[in-house]
Amino acid sequence: MLLVKWLKKEAPVINFDYVKPTTEQNALTACKDPLAQFIAGGTNLVDLMKRGVTNPEKLVDITGLPMSNIEQKGDNIFIGSLALNSVVAEHELIKKHLPLLSQALQAGASPQIRNMATVGGNMMQRTRCGYFYDLSMPCNKRTPNSGCGAKEGYNRMHAIFGASDKCIAVHPSDMCVALAALDATVLIANGKLLRRVPFKDFHKLPGSNPEKDNNLLKGELITGVEVPINAAFAQHSLYTKIRDRASYAFALVSVAAALEMNGKTIKDIRLAMGGVAHKPWRLTTAEQFLKSKEATPANFKQAAMLALKDATSYGHNQFKLTLAPNTIVHTLHTLAGI
Ligand SMILES: Cc1cc2nc3c(=O)[nH]c(=O)nc-3n(C[C@H](O)[C@H](O)[C@H](O)COP(=O)(O)OP(=O)(O)OC[C@H]3O[C@@H](n4cnc5c(N)ncnc54)[C@H](O)[C@@H]3O)c2cc1C
Ligand code: SF4
């Protein structure tokens, strides 16, 4: 009885139009309406709709578009935006050339969710900040200029890099951390031209408009990502994810690392972190420091200290200031076999 009352009071009726185009052009046209939104696997968008965080008037289901191919194109691996997270993780080209990406995907969500989640949807998934999902709380990302519940609230999962007065949320993806480390490029269709955006510039910092997570324009469609093949990185790469549970939990911090070694010397390196910023966080200062240096515990520790130089905590997430450098050092030690 109580449950029925609760359901009657809380469960809103959600009305929306639904279309399922079969061509890219029709999908772009259908999504021109101001309140239309693409839907792929639905694992994030449907949750947001059920909670009333987002209220699209039209869903443009893109799963009928031919965008799920994974193939080698010259020196790159192309991954279509509708490729499922589970398929990408297990694909022979990905395991051979981009094992870092495969590891990051395997570390995300659960097998059931990875079977529905797509590459484009993973990039576009919204933050997991509890205040963003709670309509009774202020949140600048959900309702611009309403305030930020997390800054003075419970902020254990929140950012230590690049936050603003307006928002301290983190981007929750594992896959994106690997793609940022591997210098991927995002391919975007808008009906006129194919826009190419370096992965590191796709997501944005919150600044004064945290309602925008990334630089995709309204109605633009992600068609895929291109990742350069690097045989040395494929031999030496590792994704470490620290989380509260072994499955079904977002990263407290994560590290994606790839090394090119020349004997004991680091010839080239890519380092990125997840769970620490509004976007996948590339550790460029640490990368620069480690290039041409020996792979030693002292150098790894120094690199981790440099990486954390501008980190700030907000109270409950202070532990990340210790966990983050420890995870960087642990990942590099494991990779270098020392
Ligand atoms: C319980 C749970 C645990 C999870 N744990 C993790 C985790 O540990 N690590 C992790 O990385 N992720 C995790 N996730 C998130 C999951 O990876 C995402 O929900 C999923 O990747 C979203 O993909 P989708 O295809 O379902 O997107 P949808 O929900 O369909 O769409 C999400 C957004 O992307 C937009 N969109 C989709 N495709 C395109 C496109 N091609 N072009 C433009 N816009 C597009 C949609 O309009 C929508 O705004 C978890 C999710 C759940 C529910
Ligand atoms: S951290 Fe960002 S998402 Fe979370 S409550 Fe503040 S404004 Fe909203």
Side-chain angles (χ1 to χ4, degrees):
M1 183 71 171
L2 265 180
L3 181 66
V4 172
K5 266 190 186 165
W6 180 84
L7 280 175
K8 271 189 181 157
K9 185 165 167 266
E10 296 292 331
V13 175
I14 309 172
N15 278 318
F16 53 86
D17 288 337
Y18 172 86
V19 291
K20 190 169 178 182
T22 50
T23 67
E24 184 181 299
Q25 195 50 53
N26 286 348
L28 289 165
T29 306
C31 210
K32 272 189 179 150
D33 299 350
L35 291 177
Q37 228 176 315
F38 293 125
I39 184 164
T43 60
N44 189 217
L45 184 54
V46 173
D47 275 356
L48 292 165
M49 289 171 66
K50 285 196 285 194
R51 287 170 182 244
V53 177
T54 188
N55 301 293
E57 286 179 356
K58 184 184 354 172
L59 288 184
V60 180
D61 183 343
I62 56 175
T63 56
L65 303 185
M67 298 196 303
S68 52
N69 49 324
I70 301 171
E71 54 191 300
Q72 182 164 352
K73 289 186 176 176
D75 294 337
N76 293 292
I77 301 292
F78 173 83
I79 307 169
S81 68
L82 284 173
L84 298 177
N85 286 186
S86 53
V87 171
V88 180
E90 290 298 334
H91 198 280
E92 62 181 60
L93 281 176
I94 306 297
K95 282 178 141 173
K96 179 175 175 201
H97 297 294
L98 309 171
L100 184 65
L101 178 60
S102 176
Q103 290 171 39
L105 281 163
Q106 297 282 15
S110 64
Q112 293 87 345
I113 291 168
R114 294 197 294 270
N115 268 336
M116 289 299 293
T118 63
V119 166
N122 191 315
M123 290 166 59
M124 295 294 290
Q125 65 173 297
R126 310 230 51 198
T127 185
R128 291 284 156 170
C129 172
Y131 299 92
F132 176 69
Y133 283 80
D134 184 345
L135 299 191
S136 67
M137 297 303 291
C139 171
N140 289 322
K141 186 180 276 298
R142 178 176 20 85
T143 313
N145 300 317
S146 61
C148 170
K151 256 174 69 184
E152 305 298 327
Y154 188 58
N155 48 40
R156 180 171 176 270
M157 297 296 288
H158 289 70
I160 55 172
F161 294 116
S164 73
D165 269 1
K166 294 265 187 178
C167 179
I168 61 170
V170 299
H171 192 265
S173 168
D174 292 294
M175 178 195 83
C176 293
V177 183
L179 289 175
L182 293 170
D183 292 320
T185 300
V186 186
L187 308 182
I188 298 168
N190 57 23
K192 297 181 202 111
L193 45 90
L194 188 68
R195 211 153 70 81
R196 299 171 64 88
V197 178
F199 204 89
K200 66 177 175 46
D201 300 330
F202 180 78
H203 296 98
K204 62 181 271 302
L205 289 177
S208 54
N209 60 333
E211 67 278 9
K212 271 200 71 61
D213 296 338
N214 54 59
N215 293 312
L216 194 76
L217 302 176
K218 162 77 187 112
E220 285 188 323
L221 180 70
I222 302 167
T223 56
V225 290
E226 223 171 59
V227 195
I229 294 173
N230 182 319
F233 289 163
Q235 272 180 22
H236 283 107
S237 55
L238 184 63
Y239 187 74
T240 307
K241 177 174 179 178
I242 309 292
R243 49 188 154 173
D244 288 326
R245 291 181 302 275
S247 175
Y248 226 58
F250 291 90
L252 293 166
V253 305
S254 67
V255 172
L259 288 177
E260 179 177 356
M261 300 297 292
N262 183 6
K264 288 185 175 169
T265 304
I266 298 169
K267 196 169 164 207
D268 204 0
I269 178 164
R270 298 288 184 278
L271 272 176
M273 291 197 84
V276 292
H278 200 257
K279 60 186 286 186
W281 193 251
R282 258 306 268 274
L283 306 180
T284 41
T285 314
E287 287 176 2
Q288 285 305 325
F289 171 79
L290 284 171
K291 264 184 206 166
S292 306
K293 294 227 169 43
E294 282 215 357
T296 63
N299 282 336
F300 290 158
K301 197 169 174 194
Q302 178 78 15
M305 278 168 63
L306 281 172
L308 266 283
K309 199 167 69 66
D310 298 321
T312 318
S313 68
Y314 294 89
H316 300 103
N317 68 346
Q318 196 175 356
F319 71 98
K320 290 193 182 184
L321 299 182
T322 310
L323 185 62
N326 285 350
T327 310
I328 296 170
V329 171
H330 168 78
T331 305
L332 291 172
H333 272 214
T334 311
L335 249 188
I338 55 173

